[in-house]
Amino acid sequence: MAEASLLYLVDAATGEGVEGELRDAIEDAQIVDWQTKWQPALIAVLQELDRRGVPVAQWPQSWHWDWRKKTAAVQGLLAFRGFSVVAAGVTQGLAQVDLTKSAREASQAGKPLVYVDYLEVAPWNRPDLGQPVRLRGVGTALLSAAVALSEEEGFKGRIGLHSLPQADRFYRDRCGMTDLGPDATYQGLRYFEITPDQARAFLKDEE
Amino acid sequence: MKLERSKEWWLERARREGDVVIGAGLLARDPSPEARPVAAAEENRIAFGKFVNLMRRRRGYSMEQLAERADIDASELLVIEDDLHYVPGPRTVYKLAQTFEVSQQRLMQLAGLTAANDVGLRQEAVRFAARSESVQRLTPEESTALEAFVAVLSSQEPKRVK
């Protein structure tokens, strides 16, 4: 049974706080939301981009996956440790983590970390799709959960992840993560890590 | 696992997030329902269908006439020209290669019957498919593209990758 923590997100339209749950699992309900709500929302955006004649090269991200592959992979998330953010009765973000990887950053090399294998927010919370964002804070909450899990596991808050190109700036500038550069073994995505010091600053209890 | 923080803590971080995109891992990349990259084999198949179509028209054959000359089924010809995913039988490709007087081996590759490890042929196939349009009469550009491609298909020594 998943454990839930109370969290607050920001309604982008009003600036008000919105109550939600940070759950330490991905369950059937999240997969159903992904298939019945996320997928149609993203397809609608893609069709609109196509209709407006926007060249594929200018679409929000690199479009390598086909839907069948992605659907199968998302269904596979049920078998791994993950996190989900639920608000307004709908899944707002998902993350899957791997606890078997080691740190690469020079001062931490070889030490265990929580590797964020997958982190995605619902299409209506993405600012890169040309539509108003509904909720802010979903990605940060999932990242916070990964750092907290790392502390709980005795990994001192160390986490690692391969960033999507549009997210590089967020991890580097807003989260203070160490940018270890493009990873040729991972389709050139940049690899970032949080060290124990950075993790302490990231999860600092109150400002 | 519980993460207990105050409402202010969460809101402060959510506001700091601003309008940035957040995502990690290859699975988080968006799929493309319609603009899926065309696989090499598919590119060759497109070129194969166009090649048969243009060669038939250049020789002034109807589908029935070509089917009769090549001793193949007219309904299969129709599918070859119109269905990009159809893989014809070896005998059909052999007969078409004979009729059009091009390399059987290369036409087999183009049709997807043998491994397409010939980089030069693949590049030529893509170039050819991109230049040709399915219209009633061959345009001068189509004729040029077709002749160039026939020359490639007629050469016997494919360039191997490995």
Side-chain angles (χ1 to χ4, degrees):
Chain A
M1 179 82 183
E3 206 164 9
S5 309
L6 175 67
L7 61 66
Y8 291 88
L9 305 167
V10 169
D11 182 322
T14 65
E16 296 295 311
V18 174
E19 210 173 284
E21 275 186 350
L22 172 62
R23 302 174 68 82
D24 63 353
I26 293 174
E27 296 169 294
D28 286 334
Q30 275 71 59
I31 305 302
V32 170
D33 278 352
W34 187 89
Q35 283 179 328
T36 62
K37 300 189 171 79
W38 290 32
Q39 194 173 340
L42 195 49
I43 285 175
V45 171
L46 300 190
Q47 285 171 340
E48 177 61 15
L49 288 172
D50 194 37
R51 195 186 63 74
R52 296 201 317 241
V54 177
V56 175
Q58 290 172 25
W59 287 11
Q61 292 174 6
S62 304
W63 310 74
H64 291 286
W65 289 83
D66 72 36
W67 284 106
R68 274 173 306 179
K69 269 193 201 165
K70 178 146 181 167
T71 303
V74 167
Q75 278 166 344
L77 296 180
L78 288 169
F80 295 91
R81 291 185 72 165
F83 296 103
S84 47
V85 170
V86 180
V90 180
T91 306
Q92 304 289 343
L94 293 169
Q96 180 199 305
V97 295
D98 179 346
L99 306 187
T100 66
K101 300 263 171 89
S102 306
R104 303 182 192 178
E105 197 268 340
S107 69
Q108 307 294 319
K111 294 179 179 168
L113 53 62
V114 169
Y115 174 73
V116 182
D117 206 21
Y118 162 68
L119 191 156
E120 187 174 16
V121 301
W124 51 83
N125 295 327
R126 284 172 49 177
D128 59 332
L129 297 180
Q131 295 172 332
V133 170
R134 288 192 211 162
L135 293 170
R136 291 201 180 105
V138 178
T140 304
L142 291 167
L143 211 58
S144 303
V147 177
L149 175 66
S150 174
E151 286 193 336
E152 192 176 276
E153 291 289 324
F155 299 169
K156 299 185 175 178
R158 281 184 295 266
I159 71 165
L161 59 84
H162 286 90
S163 167
L164 292 189
Q166 289 89 331
D168 290 347
R169 198 167 53 90
F170 171 76
Y171 295 120
R172 193 169 38 233
D173 302 341
R174 311 253 173 116
C175 302
M177 295 178 79
T178 301
D179 182 355
L180 295 169
D183 185 343
T185 66
Y186 205 80
Q187 293 191 14
L189 295 188
R190 298 186 85 85
Y191 180 69
F192 289 83
E193 278 187 6
I194 280 188
T195 64
D197 284 346
Q198 291 163 345
R200 269 192 294 279
F202 188 80
L203 274 192
K204 199 160 65 172
D205 208 350
E206 300 294 340
E207 296 294 308
Chain B
M1 188 207 76
K2 295 282 267 188
L3 179 58
E4 290 176 345
R5 291 291 188 274
S6 68
K7 181 176 180 178
E8 288 67 35
W9 188 89
W10 287 110
L11 292 180
E12 194 270 328
R13 274 160 180 74
R15 292 197 174 104
R16 203 194 297 168
E17 189 175 294
D19 272 339
V20 293
V21 182
I22 303 175
L26 292 176
L27 177 55
R29 285 185 155 183
D30 296 324
S32 172
E34 276 133 28
R36 184 167 52 89
V38 180
E42 212 165 329
E43 288 171 344
N44 279 354
R45 279 288 305 118
I46 293 169
F48 179 75
K50 283 181 182 275
F51 173 75
V52 172
N53 174 275
L54 264 61
M55 282 298 276
R56 176 176 65 75
R57 286 159 51 208
R58 188 171 79 166
R59 296 195 174 192
Y61 297 150
S62 67
M63 280 203 191
E64 269 186 343
Q65 286 168 327
L66 176 58
E68 198 176 319
R69 280 191 170 263
D71 188 26
I72 56 177
D73 194 332
S75 62
E76 189 176 14
L77 256 186
L78 182 71
V79 183
I80 286 171
E81 289 191 12
D82 287 343
D83 183 356
L84 303 181
H85 301 288
Y86 176 71
V87 178
R91 181 187 172 278
T92 303
V93 179
Y94 171 71
K95 288 287 189 182
L96 286 171
Q98 260 191 339
T99 308
F100 294 145
E101 300 167 282
V102 294
S103 156
Q104 180 200 340
Q105 186 193 358
R106 291 195 146 199
L107 208 58
M108 288 277 189
Q109 273 188 29
L110 205 59
L113 289 175
T114 54
N117 59 351
D118 178 352
V119 175
L121 176 60
R122 185 174 158 233
Q123 286 169 347
E124 288 299 332
V126 171
R127 193 176 307 164
F128 166 72
R131 282 180 187 169
S132 53
E133 276 298 324
S134 291
V135 290
Q136 280 310 102
R137 295 174 64 87
L138 293 191
T139 64
E141 289 77 12
E142 281 180 323
S143 291
T144 308
L146 182 59
E147 270 159 28
F149 197 46
V150 167
V152 172
L153 285 177
S154 303
S155 66
Q156 296 296 322
E157 291 298 323
K159 207 172 10 178
R160 296 286 173 189
V161 174
K162 289 175 186 172

